[in-house]
Amino acid sequence: MTRVGAPVLRGAAAAAWAAGLVCLAGTALADPASKPRPPEIERARAEPALVRVQGDTLYYTGNFSKASSAAFDVAVAGVRRGQLTRLVISSGGGDTVEGRHVGRWVRHMALVVEVDVICFSSCADYIFPAGRARVIRPDAFVGWHGNERQFHVLAARTGVSVADQLAAVVPADVAPGPRAAFVQEALRSIAVTRKDEAEFYASLGLDDAFAVCAVGDVLEMRPGYAGQIGWGFSPADMARLGLTNTVYLGEGRYEQDSSRFRQYLVPITADDCLALLK
C-alpha cells in the first residue's frame, strides 16, 4: 500500500498525497517489517521498468509509473497488432492509472500474458486480466490486495462514508484543516480514476471482484494466515471469476506447487470472493 511519510498536509501536498492514495493498489510488497526482498522480487520493483521487444515477445520488468510508461511507450513505438504474441512480465505493481495504460495496450495487441516470478497489485489488477490467455511460470505467483474501488467496498462493509474511510488513513497528528482538504481532494481524484477503472474492466468484459473482494482485515482473520501480503486463486477459481484460459506450468497444482504463492498469498475460492462482496 502507499504509505505516507509527512505528517502535515497542506495545499499541493494534500493534493499530491490524494493522487498517490488512488494508486495505493500499486506499491507492492510494502510489508510493515520491511524485510529484505529476494533479488528477483526486487527487480520486479525497478523504476523505471525495463522494457524491451525481442522477437515476438515483449519483456516488462519493474513497476508502473509515469517514468515506466515513458520507457514502455518508447519500446513499443511502431509495434503493429500481430507483430507480438506474448508479454512476459515480472512486476510488483505501481501506479493504477499507468497500469491501465499498459493493460489497454496489451488488450489491443491481443497478447498472451506470461508471469515470470511475480505479478502483484496493479499488475494483477490490470495486466493479467488484459491478456487473451494467461500463463504462470513454475513457482511464480499472481496476487491481489485491492484496487481503486476498495475504499467504497470498505466503507460499505463497515457502515461508514467513503469520506470517513479516507480520513481514517490520515496520520492522527494531522490538523483538522489539512485533513479535510486531503479528504476532499482524494474524493475528487478517486471519482475520476474509479470511472476510468470501471471503463477498463467493462472493456474486458469483466467484473473486478477478483481484485477487491478481500480488502481490509479479511485475510488476517482466516485460519493459517501468517503475514501474507495478498490473496490468490486457483486457475479454476480464476476462470469462475472471468480470468479464463489461465494455465500454470509447474508440475503440481498452482496454489500448492508454487512456493511463492504459499509464501506471499492467502488462497481463497471464487465463492469466498463473491460472498465477501454481498
Side-chain angles (χ1 to χ4, degrees), residues 20-216:
L21 187 63
V22 300
C23 302
L24 95 169
T27 305
L29 306 183
D31 56 65
S34 297
K35 298 175 183 177
R37 304 178 183 92
E40 67 274 15
I41 297 294
E42 193 64 36
R43 284 193 294 272
R45 301 173 66 248
E47 163 68 13
L50 304 176
V51 189
R52 63 185 173 90
V53 173
Q54 183 175 328
D56 68 347
T57 301
L58 174 68
Y59 293 88
Y60 190 112
T61 301
N63 73 1
F64 298 103
S65 66
K66 290 187 180 298
S68 292
S69 285
F72 171 81
D73 290 344
V74 169
V76 302
V79 172
R80 300 179 304 279
R81 198 170 191 272
Q83 182 177 337
L84 302 178
T85 62
R86 64 174 182 157
L87 163 68
V88 174
I89 190 162
S90 183
S91 177
D95 187 298
T96 57
V97 173
E98 304 305 328
R100 291 193 293 276
H101 171 70
V102 177
R104 286 188 168 100
W105 187 90
V106 170
R107 178 67 167 183
H108 174 69
M109 292 293 175
L111 301 184
V112 173
V113 173
E114 184 169 330
V115 176
D116 177 25
V117 179
I118 173 177
C119 182
F120 187 69
S121 190
S122 291
C123 179
D125 287 345
Y126 311 119
I127 310 303
F128 193 69
R132 63 178 173 88
R134 303 158 187 89
V135 176
I136 305 171
R137 290 184 174 180
D139 220 29
F141 74 102
V142 181
W144 290 269
H145 70 153
N147 64 7
E148 293 188 17
R149 190 162 71 98
Q150 67 184 44
F151 283 111
H152 292 74
V153 170
L154 287 169
R157 192 174 285 167
T158 55
V160 302
S161 69
V162 176
D164 287 341
Q165 190 67 49
L166 288 165
V169 305
V170 183
D173 56 350
V174 174
R179 179 184 296 271
F182 160 75
V183 170
Q184 291 307 307
E185 183 59 33
L187 287 170
R188 285 192 291 270
S189 295
I190 289 173
V192 173
T193 57
R194 265 210 67 203
K195 180 176 183 292
D196 182 68
E197 181 180 73
E199 290 172 350
F200 173 82
Y201 286 121
S203 74
L204 303 182
L206 292 174
D207 183 276
D208 70 342
F210 54 83
V212 73
C213 60
V215 293

Side-chain angles (χ1 to χ4, degrees), residues 219-239:
L219 301 183
E220 286 86 339
M221 295 187 296
R222 291 178 68 89
Y225 173 76
Q228 292 92 334
I229 60 173
W231 65 87
F233 305 96
S234 70
D237 282 305
M238 289 186 200

Side-chain angles (χ1 to χ4, degrees), residues 244-264:
T244 56
N245 300 321
T246 299
V247 298
Y248 175 61
L249 299 183
E251 295 182 356
R253 291 175 54 185
Y254 160 57
E255 65 275 25
Q256 298 175 355
D257 182 69
S258 171
S259 64
R260 292 189 180 99
F261 186 111
R262 299 195 308 273
Q263 178 180 356
Y264 293 114

